[in-house]
Amino acid sequence: MEIDQDLEELLIMGDSDLIIPQAQGEWETRDVKLFPYRQHVEDLSKLFKSIEFRYIPRFHNELADALATFASMLPYLGNVHIDPLEIQIQERHGNCNTVEVEPDV
């Protein structure tokens, strides 16, 4: 998606203590199953003026956990286009109250 939008700079944040250092080239990729992914990252990196990988500890990555939970709840319909979500992060917390009501039969 970033390539289609002609972006030149890219920031990728992840909570994997293993994958981020490998993507940054700080650690060697030894698992044979990960070689194709590492090569794909290197190939894609050449399409950007600058690319940065940033490690985010899991306890600071609540948004990614929420999105992963949300994504796991959606049915996978094969090769169907899904529009990207627009997410705004507010500076202050919001409150949400829920009320459980039983149907009046």
Side-chain angles (χ1 to χ4, degrees), residues 41-55:
V41 167
E42 287 179 14
D43 294 342
L44 289 175
S45 296
K46 295 174 186 172
L47 302 175
F48 296 94
K49 181 178 172 182
S50 72
I51 187 167
E52 178 185 347
F53 296 90
R54 188 177 300 165
Y55 170 70

Side-chain angles (χ1 to χ4, degrees), residues 1-104:
M1 185 169 55
E2 285 78 7
I3 295 168
D4 292 340
Q5 295 180 8
D6 293 326
L7 296 177
E8 294 180 349
E9 299 177 357
L10 187 62
L11 169 63
I12 298 174
M13 297 183 285
D15 61 10
S16 173
D17 224 353
L18 174 66
I19 300 299
I20 295 296
Q22 289 180 5
Q24 291 173 320
E26 295 174 6
W27 292 358
E28 181 182 335
T29 303
R30 293 186 181 168
D31 188 342
V32 177
K33 294 179 285 188
L34 295 178
F35 286 169
Y37 297 105
R38 173 71 181 136
Q39 185 61 51
H40 191 62
V41 167
E42 287 179 14
D43 294 342
L44 289 175
S45 296
K46 295 174 186 172
L47 302 175
F48 296 94
K49 181 178 172 182
S50 72
I51 187 167
E52 178 185 347
F53 296 90
R54 188 177 300 165
Y55 170 70
I56 306 291
R58 282 187 196 260
F59 59 88
H60 289 301
N61 205 7
E62 295 167 341
L63 180 59
D65 287 340
L67 289 173
T69 300
F70 179 64
S72 70
M73 297 164 67
L74 296 174
Y76 177 67
L77 303 173
N79 202 9
V80 175
H81 174 76
I82 299 173
D83 290 327
L85 294 174
E86 283 190 35
I87 299 172
Q88 295 180 354
I89 299 175
Q90 303 295 321
E91 292 297 320
R92 53 193 163 122
H93 294 286
N95 294 319
C96 178
N97 295 321
T98 60
V99 178
E100 290 186 29
V101 178
E102 293 185 25
D104 186 13

